[in-house]
Amino acid sequence: MERTHVSAREIYKAVLENTSHSDQVVAKKKKKENGLQLPKPIKKTKRKHPGRNVLKSTQREMKMEKAAGPQCVEKDDKVTEGPDLEALLSDLSKINNSRERASKLFEWLIHPIPAKSFFRDTWEKKPIFIRRQNREYYNGLFSTAEFDRILREDEVQFGVNLDVTSYTKGKRETHNPSGRALPFTVWDFYKRGCSLRMLNPQAFSSTVWNVLSILQEQFNSMAGANVYLTPAGTQGFAPHYDDIEAFVVQLEGKKHWRVYNPRNNDEILALVSSPNFSQSEIREPILDVVVEAGDLLYFPRGFIHQGNCLPDAHSLHITISSYQRNSWGDLLQKLVPVALEIATEEDVEFRRGLPLDYLTYMGVQNSDKEDPRRSQFTAQALSLMKRLADFAPVDAAVDQKAKDFLHDCLPPVLTPEEKASSVQGAPARWEEGEARDVTVHMKAQTKIRLIRDGIARLCSEGDTVVLYHIADNSRVYHREEPKSFEIKEEHTDAVEFLIHSYPKFVSVGSLPCDTFEDKVSLAEILFERGLVHTSGPLLPS
C-alpha cells in the first residue's frame, strides 16, 4: 500500500482541533513528571508468597554484567600527528553541514579510533586510554595562560565559576572564600597545593565555546566542560564516579589516573554522581596510567576514578562531558505519567475502583499472606501496565526531551560567512545622523536555510504551535529561560520544510505557504530571530 505524507500543518491542525490528546497533556504535566519517587523496599525474612516471584525473576535478570576490560591505544615510539586546532576549526567552518562538522571534530577528539567502532565497542561500556606521544595535539583548546587571563579580565566568582579543592590523608576539602576570584588569592591557593576547577569555561573561552557548540550536535545532548589545574605532587579530588560520559583531554603536564569498575549493578551507567569514596571502599583499578599532554582518557558514567599529580609536573586538563540524564529511563519519566493520564481519561478500565478490601491483603505488611486475591490483584495491575503502552505519546515525550536539550545547548558560534549573511551582519547602521537599512527585504528569489541543523524544533502546546530554538541561549548554563515563540498555523508547513531541507538553501518563493505575503513574513521573522541566514549577504537598499 502506498504511504501518503501527512504534512506538519495537517498534524498540528488536528492537534488544535482535539484538546484531549497527548501533546497538550505533555505540556500540562511537565512540572509533575520528575517528582515521582519510589519507596525503598522494607527488608524482611525470605518466605514464599505470591507476587514476589515476579520480583525475584527480575532481580536474577539484573545481575551485574561483567564490565569489559579497558582499552589502551598507543603508537610505539611514533608521534600521532594531528591538525592544529585553529586550522581545524577554520576547515570545519567551510563544511556545509553542521552535523558533518560535529562528526569531523569528534573524530579529531578520539583519533586514531574510528567513531563507528568507538560507539559500537566503547561508548557506555568501558574506559579507553589513547596515548599519542604528541604534547601539542590539543594545543589551542585551553592553557594556563588562558586561565590567568580569565582571572584578570573576567568576573570569576568563587563557588560559581571556580572551586578551590584539596585531597590529603583521605579527606576532600573545598576552600572557596566568597566573592570574586582574583589572581592574587587564586594563585596563592595554588602555590599552597590546592587544585583549581573552573566551571563552564565556555562562558569565558571562545575556543571552548566553539568546540562544545559543535560537539553538542554529535551527541544530541548537552556538551559541557570543566577545567582542572593541579599542582605537582598533589591530588584535588577523592575517588568518585560521575553521571556523565567523560573525555579527559590532557592539555599540559601529566597526571596519574586510576579507573575502577562500578562496584555493583546499581552503579552501572549511574543516574547521579556519587559521594566521595575512601580508598577502602573501592577495589583494585582496572586502568592505571599516566596521562600526558596530548593524550585522551575516556570513561563512562558510573566508573570510579581518581587522578593525582606526580612530583615532577603540574597538570592541566579539560573534561568534556555529555549524556547527563539522557537515558531511556529519563524519556520514560516523561512518557509514562502522560500515558497514564491519557489512559485514565480514555479507557474506563483505568477508572474502575480498586477492590473494597484490597488494603487487607496487599502491601508489605501482607506480603507473606497465602491469599489468592493477591495474585489476582497483581495480575490486574500488570495487565493495566501492559495496556498503558497503547496510550503512550512517544513523539510528544521525545519533544519534551528535545526542549530540555535545546535549553541546555550553547548558542552557535557563527563562521564569518554565516555572520555576514545573517541578522548579525545585516546592513542596518547609523549614518549621517539617522538609522539606515533597518528593514529586512526578502524577495521570492532570496535563498535561506537554518543556521544549524538542530537550531530549532517545532512543538505543539495546547492550542498553539511553538518553535523552540537556541539562537539566543546564554553561554552560561541555564542563565536564561528556554527560547521560543509561537508559530502561526499557516507557517507550520514552511517551518517543517526548512528543517527538513537543511543543509540546502531554498528560495523564499518555494516555502509552502498559501500566500506570497506569508512566505516573506515567515522568512523575515526567522531571519530577525537569528535562525536562518541567506546564501549571500543582504545588500543595502
Side-chain angles (χ1 to χ4, degrees):
M1 180 182 292
E2 183 179 355
R3 294 181 62 186
T4 57
H5 172 70
V6 181
S7 72
R9 179 173 178 175
E10 292 170 341
I11 293 173
Y12 288 117
K13 188 174 181 180
V15 171
L16 299 181
E17 292 171 351
N18 185 350
T19 59
S20 67
H21 278 321
S22 60
D23 293 294
Q24 181 179 3
V25 179
V26 171
K28 289 192 297 183
K29 293 288 289 182
K30 182 177 181 183
K31 292 184 179 180
K32 297 181 181 179
E33 290 165 353
N34 294 322
L36 180 65
Q37 291 186 347
L38 297 176
K40 293 183 179 180
I42 299 175
K43 292 184 178 180
K44 297 189 69 179
T45 57
K46 295 182 180 179
R47 295 184 186 179
K48 292 184 179 180
H49 59 277
R52 189 169 289 182
N53 290 335
V54 175
L55 295 177
K56 283 186 176 179
S57 63
T58 302
Q59 289 167 349
R60 283 196 294 269
E61 292 171 3
M62 288 177 62
K63 284 183 179 178
M64 177 180 174
E65 298 177 6
K66 186 176 181 181
Q71 184 179 358
C72 294
V73 178
E74 55 184 309
K75 300 285 188 180
D76 294 335
D77 300 323
K78 190 174 181 181
V79 172
T80 300
E81 299 294 345
D84 172 76
L85 180 56
E86 184 178 353
L88 174 63
L89 292 174
S90 177
D91 289 342
L92 291 179
S93 70
K94 300 169 187 174
I95 295 176
N96 195 37
N97 190 325
S98 61
R99 296 237 179 243
E100 187 179 342
R101 288 181 203 167
S103 178
K104 295 289 185 185
L105 185 60
F106 185 70
E107 288 175 3
W108 165 81
L109 180 70
I110 64 169
H111 179 79
I113 300 174
K116 185 176 181 180
S117 63
F118 174 82
F119 285 111
R120 182 190 64 227
D121 303 328
T122 305
W123 176 253
E124 293 189 323
K125 295 181 180 72
K126 62 183 180 182
I128 191 168
F129 171 51
I130 301 174
R131 189 193 305 278
R132 294 203 176 87
Q133 299 186 41
N134 178 359
R135 301 174 62 84
E136 299 179 355
Y137 188 83
Y138 291 119
N139 273 12
L141 181 54
F142 200 82
S143 66
T144 48
E146 179 80 347
F147 203 119
D148 184 67
R149 181 198 64 75
I150 291 169
L151 293 175
R152 295 179 184 283
E153 297 179 5
D154 293 301
E155 285 287 333
V156 178
Q157 296 288 320
F158 284 114
V160 177
N161 314 113
L162 186 73
D163 286 329
V164 180
T165 69
S166 66
Y167 179 71
T168 55
K169 297 181 179 179
K171 185 178 181 181
R172 154 83 157 81
E173 292 185 276
T174 300
H175 308 279
N176 293 337
S178 60
R180 181 177 172 182
L182 292 168
F184 179 85
T185 306
V186 172
W187 294 126
D188 183 57
F189 274 122
Y190 178 82
K191 194 170 183 179
R192 288 189 281 143
C194 292
S195 289
L196 308 175
R197 174 172 64 182
M198 180 172 287
L199 310 170
N200 295 324
Q202 60 270 25
F204 307 107
S205 166
S206 295
T207 302
V208 176
W209 168 28
N210 196 0
V211 167
L212 296 182
S213 70
I214 295 172
L215 286 177
Q216 67 193 8
E217 286 198 63
Q218 171 71 24
F219 299 118
N220 282 306
S221 178
M222 184 189 76
N226 288 331
V227 168
Y228 299 83
L229 179 60
T230 310
T234 70
Q235 181 169 337
F237 294 87
H240 66 282
Y241 61 74
D242 295 312
D243 59 348
I244 46 90
E245 301 298 296
F247 297 85
V248 177
V249 177
Q250 191 68 26
L251 301 171
E252 295 176 9
K254 57 187 177 181
K255 202 166 204 177
H256 172 217
W257 282 92
R258 285 163 286 173
V259 183
Y260 310 77
N261 271 329
R263 300 177 305 167
N264 53 55
N265 189 71
D266 294 339
E267 293 178 359
I268 295 175
L269 300 179
L271 291 174
V272 295
S273 297
S274 73
N276 295 327
F277 295 123
S278 65
Q279 299 294 335
S280 62
E281 292 179 284
I282 54 180
R283 307 187 195 106
E284 292 299 311
I286 59 168
L287 192 64
D288 192 328
V289 293
V290 174
V291 181
E292 301 189 29
D295 295 345
L296 176 73
L297 175 63
Y298 160 82
F299 43 83
R301 52 198 190 274
F303 277 76
I304 300 168
H305 53 277
Q306 62 178 321
N308 64 283
C309 271
L310 301 175
D312 60 337
H314 78 287
S315 168
L316 178 73
H317 78 265
I318 183 169
T319 297
I320 295 174
S321 62
S322 190
Y323 254 57
Q324 186 179 51
R325 304 297 300 186
N326 204 41
S327 68
W328 282 101
D330 294 302
L331 175 64
L332 290 175
Q333 282 187 349
K334 296 186 177 296
L335 178 60
V336 173
V338 182
L340 183 57
E341 184 166 327
I342 296 171
T344 304
E345 290 176 356
E346 299 186 2
D347 188 335
V348 68
E349 293 302 317
F350 286 85
R351 299 197 299 274
R352 295 195 188 281
L354 292 164
L356 290 173
D357 56 351
Y358 81 102
L359 292 178
T360 66
Y361 58 85
M362 293 304 298
V364 175
Q365 71 180 32
N366 301 309
S367 59
D368 293 327
K369 281 188 175 182
E370 299 287 345
D371 190 323
R373 293 176 299 174
R374 287 182 54 79
S375 58
Q376 292 171 7
F377 187 96
T378 300
Q380 176 65 5
L382 294 177
S383 174
L384 290 175
M385 287 179 68
K386 291 178 182 178
R387 197 164 179 162
L388 192 62
D390 296 334
F391 301 92
V394 178
D395 283 327
V398 168
D399 281 343
Q400 295 303 309
K401 282 291 294 174
K403 285 161 56 177
D404 290 345
F405 168 47
L406 292 178
H407 189 202
D408 294 343
C409 274
L410 287 163
V413 178
L414 302 188
T415 67
E417 292 77 14
E418 290 168 342
K419 229 177 230 185
S421 58
S422 72
V423 69
Q424 292 192 27
R429 65 200 182 280
W430 178 267
E431 186 176 87
E432 296 179 356
E434 62 178 321
R436 295 179 180 269
D437 294 311
V438 295
T439 304
V440 175
H441 297 287
M442 292 283 182
K443 301 176 181 178
Q445 63 270 29
T446 303
K447 291 191 173 182
I448 62 173
R449 74 165 185 175
L450 294 178
I451 284 180
R452 290 288 182 277
D453 189 19
I455 197 171
R457 189 177 186 92
L458 275 173
C459 297
S460 62
E461 295 190 351
D463 296 333
T464 61
V465 178
V466 176
L467 190 67
Y468 283 83
H469 65 89
I470 67 173
D472 299 328
N473 279 13
S474 170
R475 288 165 64 177
V476 177
Y477 179 71
H478 285 194
R479 172 179 281 178
E480 300 175 9
E481 293 300 309
K483 306 298 181 182
S484 66
F485 59 94
E486 186 175 340
I487 293 292
K488 295 179 180 179
E489 181 188 349
E490 57 267 28
H491 288 163
T492 54
D493 273 2
V495 173
E496 184 191 60
F497 176 72
L498 278 168
I499 290 172
H500 293 159
S501 295
Y502 185 89
K504 294 179 181 178
F505 284 92
V506 296
S507 67
V508 171
S510 70
L511 296 178
C513 296
D514 292 337
T515 68
F516 178 71
E517 288 74 18
D518 282 338
K519 299 173 193 276
V520 171
S521 172
L522 176 62
E524 291 178 349
I525 289 170
L526 296 178
F527 184 86
E528 291 170 4
R529 296 272 185 171
L531 298 179
V532 301
H533 67 121
T534 54
S535 57
L538 290 177
L539 300 176
S541 56

